[in-house]
Amino acid sequence: MRFSTTLIALATAASANPLNTFGSERQSLVRRDDLAIPGDNPLKYCDTDHKDDIITIEKVDLTPNPPEAGTTLIIEASGTVKETIVEGAYVKLQVKYGYIRLISTQADLCKEIKNVDLDCPIEKGKISITKSVDLPKEIPPGKYTVEADVYTVDDEHVTCLTATVIFGGKKSFGSILGDL
């Protein structure tokens, strides 16, 4: 699994999964309107308290938004890292297609972030990422939901993001005729 795949999956989603499906002990809830990540994107924070998160995401822009199969997706993100993140940090990742779980895994964050030209340690301070990703034309149509819950090597919460996107929306009658 590549971090860019995870980033694409997160970046290509449209509404939040209100459940933390990894059984986290974090219980306090935040207001639903506080969950949206700023920028032109479908990302939301998971429905938990984020006051102690190690990363604050300031903005994420996707072009195009919503993402489309067969196009190049450009992801521009910025934020602030409050504490240095070292080797051993990990992400719990879940990807669903409709109600079917495609992926439920834990990955080494430091290994995966190399796909967006970053290395561990991720130093404290401002951070920016720009990544272009070619989305395949063959993405099966349907609703995809992604959740990524990130932790340090010492199990401190870094952040949790969720997103949903629908690929292959309804074609208009005119576009169907044009395909004939």
Side-chain angles (χ1 to χ4, degrees):
M1 171 186 38
R2 296 174 21 142
F3 182 71
S4 59
T5 304
T6 303
L7 192 56
I8 293 165
L10 278 173
T12 59
S15 68
N17 173 358
L19 302 175
N20 181 344
T21 55
F22 296 106
S24 172
E25 295 178 16
R26 294 175 283 120
Q27 296 295 322
S28 49
L29 300 176
V30 293
R31 288 186 4 220
R32 300 288 308 166
D33 59 344
D34 290 345
L35 299 177
I37 302 292
D40 188 16
N41 70 76
L43 296 170
K44 296 188 180 206
Y45 287 107
C46 300
D47 196 3
T48 58
D49 186 0
H50 294 276
K51 67 179 173 45
D52 295 326
D53 281 3
I54 293 175
I55 290 181
T56 301
I57 300 171
E58 293 161 6
K59 186 175 183 181
V60 177
D61 288 323
L62 303 182
T63 306
N65 183 33
E68 299 171 13
T71 64
T72 298
L73 176 65
I74 300 170
I75 305 161
E76 297 175 284
S78 61
T80 302
V81 179
K82 298 174 188 171
E83 299 174 21
T84 299
I85 300 170
V86 298
E87 292 284 340
Y90 61 95
V91 58
K92 293 180 179 181
L93 177 67
Q94 181 168 287
V95 179
K96 290 182 179 180
Y97 174 73
Y99 293 107
I100 301 168
R101 187 177 346 185
L102 298 177
I103 298 172
S104 184
T105 190
Q106 182 171 307
D108 181 330
L109 180 70
C110 293
K111 183 177 178 181
E112 300 301 325
I113 64 168
K114 292 178 183 195
N115 294 303
V116 290
D117 304 322
L118 293 175
D119 289 305
C120 279
I122 302 170
E123 299 295 336
K124 178 179 176 178
K126 296 272 186 188
I127 190 168
S128 294
I129 297 170
T130 299
K131 183 72 177 177
S132 295
V133 181
D134 292 327
L135 298 178
K137 291 180 185 178
E138 299 81 18
I139 297 173
K143 176 181 173 183
Y144 293 82
T145 304
V146 179
E147 181 175 299
D149 205 2
V150 186
Y151 294 88
T152 68
V153 66
D154 298 320
D155 296 321
E156 294 178 59
H157 197 243
V158 175
T159 195
C160 182
L161 301 175
T162 186
T164 301
V165 69
I166 298 173
F167 280 101
K170 296 178 182 176
K171 284 188 167 188
S172 70
F173 185 69
S175 66
I176 292 171
L177 289 176
D179 290 342
L180 298 177

